[in-house]
Amino acid sequence: METTKILIGYAIYLPVALTLTFIVSRTLFKNGKIFMLDIFKGREDIANATNHLFETGFYLLNVGFALMILQMSVYDNTYCTLVEELSYKIGGFAIYLGVMLFLNLYFFFRGKRKAKESQIKNTVVFKG
């Protein structure tokens, strides 16, 4: 593929991938704060710190993956091929982001369940 078309592809792919990452991350961790507060029994300082650590890890994984799959290996010199390559890359990255979103939701729900189990164990009074 012609260098100019590859650069056009990069110029389209990178902003789209980074914007998708930002939107998904912002939505997930804005709403995830509620789960963290529940998990950590209202202790806002530790809930915020943990939520920010999860968010940082989310950004690192997703931006890293977006950059890792950046290479365009299309050798046909048409804009049609460029659009097809971009749709494959952006679509694949969107699917990956969806999987990461659900994985994080799983961790939030798992943490909430563990916190609830711990709370039940601590409130059970044994009669002797």
Side-chain angles (χ1 to χ4, degrees), residues 68-81:
M68 192 177 79
I69 67 169
L70 178 66
Q71 180 181 359
M72 302 237 179
S73 58
V74 177
Y75 298 104
D76 188 5
N77 195 18
T78 65
Y79 284 106
C80 181
T81 304

Side-chain angles (χ1 to χ4, degrees), residues 94-111:
I95 291 169
Y96 168 79
L97 274 176
V99 169
M100 293 302 293
L101 172 74
F102 285 118
L103 183 64
N104 275 281
L105 285 174
Y106 167 77
F107 286 131
F108 285 149
F109 283 118
R110 184 173 177 218

Side-chain angles (χ1 to χ4, degrees), residues 11-52:
I12 294 170
Y13 170 76
L14 282 173
V16 170
L18 296 177
T19 301
L20 281 173
T21 300
F22 177 76
I23 290 170
V24 171
S25 177
R26 185 174 173 160
T27 302
L28 177 63
F29 293 102
K30 178 182 164 193
N31 296 310
K33 183 178 178 183
I34 296 166
F35 288 100
M36 290 296 182
L37 285 170
D38 188 33
I39 291 167
F40 293 110
K41 299 172 182 78
R43 293 174 42 204
E44 193 166 348
D45 55 341
I46 195 163
N48 283 333
T50 305
N51 200 37
H52 286 300

